[in-house]
Amino acid sequence: MDVALFTLLPEEGLAIVLGTRDRDPFAGRPALFGGFLRPGSDGSATDAAHRLLAEKAGLADVFVEQLMTFSGPDRDPRGWSVSIAYYALVPFGRLAEARPGLAVWPVGRMPPLAFDHDRIAAAALARLGGKASYSTLPAFLLPKTFTLPELKAVYEAVLGTALNDSAFRRKVMEMRILEEVPEKRGATAGVRRPAQLWRLAADRLVEFDRTV
Amino acid sequence: MDVALFTLLPEEGLAIVLGTRDRDPFAGRPALFGGFLRPGSDGSATDAAHRLLAEKAGLADVFVEQLMTFSGPDRDPRGWSVSIAYYALVPFGRLAEARPGLAVWPVGRMPPLAFDHDRIAAAALARLGGKASYSTLPAFLLPKTFTLPELKAVYEAVLGTALNDSAFRRKVMEMRILEEVPEKRGATAGVRRPAQLWRLAADRLVEFDRTV
């Protein structure tokens, strides 16, 4: 099992959160959060991904989704191996709860990782970019409530392209993926134009219809 | 490992090709093509999927792609288990090469399957439908050469919706996924308007860009 954890840096955009291998092979090398599945005590591989993030990153209740399973003779110098890989998304503010010592790297400047973790991280990034175009996935990088410009910025970070303001707002409203939050940001601080806050209408990932 | 194999029936559209469980649990029940990964002799899980299709369905060189990995205490009555699931696509004509005794069911009338294979088959169908909207995936249900109306029909079968003729043709031409085949179908038989044949420009699956 390996979990690629991503966050959104306030300035530098999409970033990967890494641990450090504490033993050979690859001792001292940055790595995804990995460990063995425990059949019996883990309810499923998804439960195991949550357990690994809790144990190795100190983070509970993080969004996780299965990426794919990697296998073969070359991914671990100790021999033929299989790893069910997951990706996970955490809002930047929640990294304050994480275990100390984690490294956060903008995805464009990732260091070389242990095992085949570069390949897993690249596959996870491709999946994020693809799925951003037809789902609420990027919103799981934001706090529970956010402004529309913040939502647009996280879609832009994950898609890697600039989006048109009004087309984005129209699409989001058509999709009915958001609901208004009663409080506005800045409303109590006497700001002249407090910003409307939104949250996802559903707790779970929502995928949109796609057309040919 | 479990492989969900699909084909396209000339009249009834998208169909699943099933084997039969030859021992308990679920002896006699229709099932996906399953078996154990052989670390060491299988180069990867994908190689194992090809091996299982060759051994259990008698089919070599079939399009396969990883679906996802299923795990947990409830999927096999013998206890906690993991299965890396794949889907595979085979043109109907090639079923003549397959092992005798396979059952072909239109996907809307699938019988109850062994283990959690109903769930795996449903996930594979959802993936096929999703991926059809941004890739050449459905074309792997056709013979190597095909007419544009045949290509449109297979997209319609996988997407489950009717498509507009000229919009489909325009999109396919814009995407540059096809190349003309020198021979026309019916050209030698003295048919008045022989049909232009096409083939995929690339041997591999091609995914298109998606936009928000």
Side-chain angles (χ1 to χ4, degrees):
Chain A
M1 300 273 311
D2 288 297
V3 185
L5 176 65
F6 296 95
T7 193
L8 186 76
L9 291 175
E11 298 294 323
E12 304 210 62
L14 194 59
I16 192 164
V17 184
L18 298 165
T20 304
R21 276 287 292 173
D22 59 1
R23 72 194 90 115
D24 273 325
F26 300 105
R29 191 77 84 83
L32 304 184
F33 300 103
F36 290 100
L37 190 62
R38 292 187 194 140
S41 73
D42 290 325
S44 63
T46 302
D47 289 353
H50 282 293
R51 174 178 59 74
L52 285 171
L53 281 174
E55 287 174 6
K56 306 246 167 156
L59 291 168
D61 289 323
V62 163
F63 174 92
V64 306
E65 197 165 70
Q66 194 180 300
L67 173 62
M68 65 177 290
T69 296
F70 293 79
S71 58
D74 302 322
R75 51 180 312 279
D76 185 325
R78 293 165 295 186
W80 213 99
S81 68
V82 173
S83 177
I84 311 175
Y86 278 75
Y87 56 93
L89 304 180
V90 67
F92 180 69
R94 287 203 54 203
L95 289 181
E97 310 158 27
R99 255 176 86 151
L102 303 184
V104 184
W105 289 89
V107 295
R109 295 189 275 122
M110 233 183 276
L113 306 183
F115 302 105
D116 62 345
H117 290 186
D118 308 273
R119 196 176 148 227
I120 298 176
L125 278 171
R127 178 75 61 87
L128 281 180
K131 210 153 179 174
S133 68
Y134 62 91
S135 78
T136 57
L137 189 60
F140 293 88
L141 289 162
L142 294 178
K144 292 281 178 208
T145 63
F146 44 79
T147 65
L148 275 188
E150 285 165 352
L151 185 65
K152 177 170 167 264
V154 74
Y155 268 91
E156 290 177 326
V158 175
L159 290 165
T161 47
L163 298 173
N164 176 280
D165 264 337
S166 57
F168 180 77
R169 167 184 275 270
R170 190 178 345 108
K171 180 107 178 195
V172 160
M173 293 305 153
E174 270 173 22
M175 294 291 184
R176 300 173 181 278
I177 56 173
L178 301 183
E179 55 189 31
E180 268 187 46
V181 175
E183 308 80 49
K184 290 189 168 53
R185 184 182 303 160
T188 54
V191 173
R192 214 154 38 147
R193 292 189 54 194
Q196 178 63 54
L197 289 175
W198 302 84
R199 66 172 163 236
L200 288 178
D203 267 348
R204 304 171 59 84
L205 181 72
V206 172
E207 300 190 7
F208 319 140
D209 276 349
R210 289 165 288 180
T211 42
V212 175
Chain B
M1 298 274 312
D2 288 296
V3 185
L5 176 65
F6 296 95
T7 193
L8 186 76
L9 291 175
E11 297 295 323
E12 303 210 63
L14 195 58
I16 191 163
V17 184
L18 297 166
T20 305
R21 274 289 293 173
D22 59 2
R23 73 194 89 115
D24 273 325
F26 301 104
R29 193 75 86 80
L32 305 183
F33 300 102
F36 290 100
L37 189 63
R38 292 188 194 140
S41 73
D42 289 324
S44 64
T46 302
D47 289 354
H50 282 294
R51 173 177 59 74
L52 285 170
L53 281 175
E55 287 174 5
K56 306 246 166 156
L59 291 167
D61 289 324
V62 163
F63 175 91
V64 306
E65 196 165 72
Q66 195 182 300
L67 174 62
M68 65 177 291
T69 296
F70 293 79
S71 58
D74 303 322
R75 48 181 314 279
D76 185 326
R78 294 166 294 186
W80 212 101
S81 69
V82 174
S83 177
I84 311 175
Y86 279 74
Y87 56 93
L89 304 180
V90 68
F92 180 69
R94 286 203 55 204
L95 289 182
E97 310 158 28
R99 255 175 86 150
L102 303 185
V104 184
W105 288 89
V107 295
R109 297 191 273 123
M110 234 183 274
L113 307 183
F115 302 105
D116 62 344
H117 290 185
D118 308 273
R119 196 175 150 227
I120 298 176
L125 277 172
R127 179 74 62 87
L128 280 180
K131 210 153 177 173
S133 68
Y134 63 88
S135 76
T136 57
L137 189 60
F140 293 88
L141 289 162
L142 294 179
K144 293 280 177 208
T145 64
F146 44 80
T147 65
L148 274 188
E150 286 166 351
L151 185 66
K152 176 168 167 268
V154 74
Y155 269 90
E156 290 177 326
V158 175
L159 289 164
T161 48
L163 298 173
N164 175 281
D165 264 338
S166 58
F168 180 78
R169 169 184 273 270
R170 192 179 342 112
K171 181 106 177 195
V172 160
M173 294 304 154
E174 270 173 24
M175 293 292 184
R176 300 174 179 280
I177 55 173
L178 301 183
E179 54 189 32
E180 266 187 47
V181 175
E183 308 80 49
K184 288 189 169 50
R185 183 181 304 161
T188 53
V191 173
R192 208 148 48 137
R193 291 189 55 194
Q196 178 63 54
L197 290 174
W198 302 84
R199 68 174 162 236
L200 289 177
D203 267 345
R204 303 171 60 84
L205 181 73
V206 172
E207 301 190 6
F208 319 141
D209 275 350
R210 289 166 288 180
T211 43
V212 174

